[in-house]
Amino acid sequence: MNFVVVSSIGAVFMGIFALFVRMKAAKKPTNGMKIILPPVFMSSGALMYVVPEFRLTPMEIVEVVIVGMLFSILLIKTSKFEIRENEIYLKRSKAFMYILVGLLVVRLALKSILSTTIDFGELSGMFFLLAFSMIVPWRVAMYLDYKKLHKQIHSQL
């Protein structure tokens, strides 16, 4: 079976998993570690660049990081917190689900288009960096919002 098809199917399942995790997370209070740890854990995936087939040119890196950061704006805009019972909760957002699905569709379309001209290993490296460049700014923005609310709660006590 084609590597692009298999990795695309994997991306769909990861997207569905992310939606369920997000819905479940909104039911429990959050903390700084829950916000920061996912990109830290994900960073181990950068070990793929040890293998030459996954390495990117400097121009590809710049392009992918810019696109990832632009995509992160949508996630940042739909991730808000609220204070309930002196705890900080992630607010549910109906738009988040649609944005996440939309980003997944755009990503799959880009992957199918680019797979005709870019080697699979290099494409994999590009899409890992795209995801990482999208998640890091989003999580940093979430963490900064969380810290503001955390400070607000503790100044009231």
Side-chain angles (χ1 to χ4, degrees), residues 18-30 34 78 80-82 84 87-93 96 142:
L19 284 173
F20 283 112
V21 168
R22 176 69 183 245
M23 287 188 287
K24 187 177 179 184
K27 295 178 182 177
K28 296 179 185 177
T30 194
K34 288 180 183 178
T78 58
K80 302 295 176 211
F81 294 103
E82 63 185 351
R84 286 186 270 160
E87 296 281 358
I88 301 172
Y89 288 82
L90 191 57
K91 249 188 203 179
R92 283 189 158 206
S93 169
F96 180 82
M142 285 175 68

Side-chain angles (χ1 to χ4, degrees), residues 56-77:
L56 306 174
T57 66
M59 191 60 186
E60 289 170 334
I61 293 170
V62 169
E63 291 168 351
V64 169
V65 168
I66 289 171
V67 171
M69 292 176 92
L70 289 173
F71 283 176
S72 74
I73 293 169
L74 297 170
L75 296 172
I76 292 167
K77 295 290 184 189

